[in-house]
Amino acid sequence: MINTDEIYVTHYSHPTCTPFMNICRLPKAEAFKLASQMAEKGAGVASFDRFDDTHFDGYYTRRMATDKILRDTFIAKGGKPKEMHPIFFVLHSSKSLEDWMGDYSAHRIKLNDIPSDSISFTVDDSILIYKKHGVYTMYTKEKLIETLTQYPGTMEDYLRKLNKEHYCIEAQLWNDDYLNTVIP
């Protein structure tokens, strides 16, 4: 059985980036300017491809639309988002994301330190799953914990099984106040 006191969410950040950012929080012109700068800094790193001139317009449009759908769905499930656009984490860790990012730093917050009305979850990257299927399932913190506590193995076992079909469980943090609880 998984011990819920040991569950955390992880935010990955490339060393050339400021952690805990969502480019959609910037005015559009600033977002496009930053994306161009990021594409230059991250040339050759797979996770930066979305920021180059040939991809960013489509990425930005999808990210804005997906964030709105995520927020509206979260509110319908009882969430109380403080932010219009979340900061993205993954449940525990993601080998796929670690490989995709190359060099990275990991910032963790214990799930118990975040109230239920400030965090939501989707299986896989929300923008990719929505682009691929036009729909996704959002989980509340309670539903996720219920699923995890019913799992007969360890968290590592759960993630290994999950990773056979999915990249990760994405976590959307809707209140920046909880960024101050990052585990050193």
Side-chain angles (χ1 to χ4, degrees), residues 9-139:
V9 293
T10 302
H11 173 81
Y12 292 105
S13 176
H14 193 272
T16 63
C17 298
T18 303
F20 310 120
M21 300 289 289
N22 181 325
I23 201 163
C24 291
R25 291 184 178 185
L26 297 173
K28 188 173 185 175
E30 287 180 42
F32 276 75
K33 182 179 177 183
L34 178 61
S36 181
Q37 293 167 354
M38 291 174 69
E40 280 183 41
K41 283 189 215 177
V45 178
S47 62
F48 283 81
D49 288 350
R50 62 190 158 167
F51 298 116
D52 72 26
D53 292 340
T54 59
H55 294 103
F56 187 68
D57 188 45
Y59 171 80
Y60 182 80
T61 300
R62 283 189 305 277
R63 179 79 274 159
M64 291 291 283
T66 303
D67 284 5
K68 181 178 181 343
I69 293 166
L70 286 168
R71 190 174 195 279
D72 292 347
T73 303
F74 186 48
I75 290 169
K77 290 183 173 280
K80 296 181 177 142
K82 185 175 174 185
E83 314 301 336
M84 292 300 294
H85 300 277
I87 301 298
F88 295 98
F89 289 75
V90 296
L91 179 68
H92 218 63
S93 63
S94 170
K95 178 76 171 117
S96 296
L97 282 177
E98 291 167 2
D99 292 345
W100 183 60
M101 291 196 72
D103 194 11
Y104 65 89
S105 56
H107 311 275
R108 293 177 175 87
I109 300 175
K110 284 189 168 206
L111 188 56
N112 285 344
D113 291 343
I114 306 169
S116 299
D117 65 2
S118 295
I119 193 164
S120 56
F121 301 89
T122 56
V123 175
D124 271 333
D125 177 286
S126 57
I127 198 169
L128 293 178
I129 200 80
Y130 195 77
K131 180 182 174 186
K132 195 175 193 179
H133 301 289
V135 67
Y136 59 84
T137 301
M138 178 179 281
Y139 294 96

